[in-house]
Amino acid sequence: MEGMEIPRKYLISKNTLYFDDYGEGEQKEQFLLAIYHPDFPDGFRLQFSFGMKKQCLTTFKNGREIECTTGYGWSILKTVDEEGQRVYWELEKKQEEREYYEPCLWIAFSNILVKKAGIAYLEIMDKAEETCEYVPIIKAQMPPEIVRFAPVTATVRKGQKAILKWETCGAESCVINPGNYQVAASGILEIKPEETMLYTLDASRGEEKETKKARVYLYEDILEDYLIAEPDVYYRGCSLNVHYLIGDNKGVVTLKAGGTPVEIRTNENDTMKASFISAEKVAFSYKEQGVEKNRYLELCPDEEQVIMKYVVAAKRQETDKSIVFGVEWCTKGAFEIQIFVRVYPLGEEKTVNDFQEYLIMSLEEEGIAAWTPAPDFSGRGMYFFFLRTKNSQGELKEAVYAYEDDKEVGYYDNLGK
């Protein structure tokens, strides 16, 4: 590929796809292609090289299963050429894209199974000019990663059994200490601690290693000072009970993720404050001998709920009175992530089917994005912002904000237990 120049108008996120030779299941990957100022009057074609060589994205058999979706204003035609062992996607503008120009086109590729390290290339052919550009995609063995390592119950009575639960990706071997337990890449382990114990999980592949720690408490060891959450997981909008004993202050307080801090009257006629300071961390702020102090309690993400944070805000511009919507989100362990807005015109006789949908973002696990209605949409409208995804069990999870013009009028999610 000597002399090949990568144009700035194409951007791939992420540009490294991983495969896992040590996991129990197949590692499916995905990425987003952004094309800035997509000027293709006759459309364009996307394709990869398929085969067993390191410059091929994957085999032709696996390439047939790759899925390609795009945003507003473009149609996709997938072609599978059995004789030539090729798969390609042809994109053409729809009529609405010709009427309303989008400066950036997002294209999502998913269900990609790679097996060999190397650099593959995405070929982008302009059908009008019959010219091609090539964008590199790195293929690499997944480094060992510990997705989760935590006790099912963090605090037990002396003599009771506790269960450690873990999940890893890309690990050739896993060891839990103390005890030097050689364990599988994912699983559970029963333990019977005689004292409060700190356990470590080492996930290794060759010279690469990741380590995480988990602590199991005995009630008998922590009666003088403790913070215990029930449940000890978090997701957007979750609530939990935190049992605390700090100095002479003892009790239980209920906190809600994203909610306001809770003030607690202490024995010294002072105030202690308990609050979520981030999605995965709770803080207790108090005074000890006149000095401000903080205690922290760390939580694990609830992998069944997957949506950790989702916020939509609106602002009307002073110059032209148009509305700008800001979207911020964070997910953990989510699949098939998609953020889109459904727009219903107001003030006219419209049926419930008279709406337009616009893709804001897909595949990205977290981020911030902005969206504005089309310039030709000058009337009033109802806007429904969807964050829709699936958890590892394939269950649909979603959160939805409803706006009437720039005023929030409702919220829905199915994250409650």
Side-chain angles (χ1 to χ4, degrees):
M1 299 292 180
E2 185 177 353
M4 182 179 63
E5 182 178 353
I6 306 302
R8 292 182 179 272
K9 69 180 295 182
Y10 303 111
L11 175 66
I12 282 184
S13 175
K14 52 187 180 175
N15 68 346
T16 300
L17 305 184
Y18 291 104
F19 60 91
D20 180 9
D21 279 344
Y22 301 102
E24 296 179 358
E26 295 180 329
Q27 172 73 19
K28 297 291 183 68
E29 278 285 27
Q30 56 192 11
F31 68 87
L32 277 175
L33 167 68
I35 302 180
Y36 294 93
H37 306 295
D39 301 320
F40 301 100
D42 294 341
F44 60 100
R45 175 183 292 180
L46 302 171
Q47 68 178 12
F48 306 92
S49 294
F50 295 124
M52 300 299 293
K53 298 180 181 179
K54 64 181 182 180
Q55 65 265 32
C56 298
L57 180 69
T58 185
T59 63
F60 172 67
K61 178 181 177 181
N62 294 331
R64 296 177 51 159
E65 306 301 319
I66 295 175
E67 297 175 1
C68 178
T69 57
T70 188
Y72 172 83
W74 291 79
S75 64
I76 296 180
L77 176 63
K78 179 180 180 179
T79 300
V80 178
D81 179 3
E82 298 283 354
E83 183 177 350
Q85 299 281 284
R86 296 187 307 158
V87 181
Y88 55 87
W89 296 264
E90 294 178 298
L91 286 83
E92 293 185 353
K93 286 184 179 181
K94 295 181 181 178
Q95 184 60 36
E96 55 261 36
E97 172 63 14
R98 300 179 189 275
E99 296 173 355
Y100 173 58
Y101 178 74
E102 287 278 5
C104 180
L105 171 63
W106 289 91
I107 303 170
F109 285 94
S110 59
N111 204 36
I112 305 170
L113 179 65
V114 298
K115 281 293 184 182
K116 184 174 290 187
I119 299 180
Y121 291 88
L122 169 61
E123 178 183 312
I124 305 173
M125 186 185 79
D126 186 331
K127 295 172 68 175
E129 299 183 6
E130 296 186 350
T131 58
C132 291
E133 302 289 354
Y134 299 87
V135 182
I137 301 172
I138 300 170
K139 303 183 300 174
Q141 165 71 47
M142 176 178 284
E145 177 189 4
I146 300 174
V147 179
R148 176 184 180 181
F149 179 52
V152 175
T153 302
T155 308
V156 296
R157 298 286 186 188
K158 189 172 183 178
Q160 288 182 331
K161 292 181 178 179
I163 297 176
L164 294 174
K165 185 177 181 180
W166 67 95
E167 180 182 352
T168 69
C169 294
E172 183 180 10
S173 64
C174 295
V175 179
I176 293 179
N177 279 299
N180 196 32
Y181 297 103
Q182 307 289 324
V183 295
S186 300
I188 60 174
L189 176 67
E190 279 193 352
I191 52 176
K192 196 173 181 180
E194 293 297 318
E195 58 183 339
T196 294
M197 293 290 297
L198 179 66
Y199 293 89
T200 61
L201 169 63
D202 293 322
S204 304
R205 183 182 63 80
E207 296 182 355
E208 297 182 273
K209 182 173 74 172
E210 183 175 32
T211 300
K212 279 195 175 181
K213 299 178 180 180
R215 192 180 296 273
V216 176
Y217 298 90
L218 296 188
Y219 280 111
E220 292 80 1
D221 289 349
I222 63 174
L223 286 178
E224 294 182 359
D225 190 15
Y226 60 82
L227 292 176
I228 302 170
E230 295 178 351
D232 61 345
V233 295
Y234 70 92
Y235 53 93
R236 190 192 187 281
C238 73
S239 60
L240 51 84
N241 295 323
V242 181
H243 301 264
Y244 63 90
L245 176 57
I246 301 174
D248 296 329
N249 303 300
K250 180 180 180 181
V252 59
V253 61
T254 300
L255 296 177
K256 184 175 182 179
T260 58
V262 176
E263 292 190 346
I264 306 162
R265 182 66 63 182
T266 67
N267 295 339
E268 294 81 18
N269 294 322
D270 206 341
T271 301
M272 181 164 58
K273 184 181 293 183
S275 61
F276 272 90
I277 59 171
S278 67
E280 67 277 4
K281 186 176 287 190
V282 170
F284 275 68
S285 303
Y286 59 98
K287 285 186 178 181
E288 187 175 282
Q289 297 179 350
V291 178
E292 293 284 348
K293 291 194 173 183
N294 291 287
R295 290 285 307 280
Y296 299 101
L297 175 64
E298 295 189 1
L299 308 173
C300 297
D302 187 331
E303 297 170 1
E304 294 183 3
Q305 304 306 95
V306 302
I307 297 177
M308 303 297 115
K309 182 178 184 180
Y310 183 48
V311 178
V312 178
K315 182 179 180 180
R316 190 175 290 277
Q317 303 286 69
E318 295 182 0
T319 53
D320 56 4
K321 302 303 180 182
S322 63
I323 306 173
V324 178
F325 292 94
V327 182
E328 183 177 2
W329 73 98
C330 176
T331 64
K332 297 285 187 181
F335 297 87
E336 301 180 20
I337 302 166
Q338 192 178 55
I339 299 176
F340 62 95
V341 58
R342 185 174 293 169
V343 183
Y344 294 83
L346 291 178
E348 302 176 16
E349 292 185 2
K350 298 285 185 178
T351 68
V352 294
N353 294 320
D354 288 330
F355 64 84
Q356 293 289 331
E357 284 188 348
Y358 306 91
L359 180 68
I360 298 175
M361 188 63 67
S362 64
L363 303 180
E364 293 293 335
E365 294 182 349
E366 60 182 313
I368 299 175
W371 181 85
T372 57
D376 59 353
F377 184 78
S378 57
R380 298 182 59 238
M382 285 290 299
Y383 305 90
F384 293 86
F385 291 85
F386 290 78
L387 168 54
R388 184 173 290 173
T389 184
K390 290 182 180 179
N391 62 15
S392 57
Q393 290 78 35
E395 299 169 335
L396 176 66
K397 296 295 179 180
E398 68 176 9
V400 185
Y401 278 92
Y403 271 83
E404 182 175 334
D405 294 332
D406 58 346
K407 180 182 179 182
E408 182 184 338
V409 293
Y411 172 80
Y412 156 83
D413 68 41
N414 63 346
L415 304 179
K417 291 188 174 181

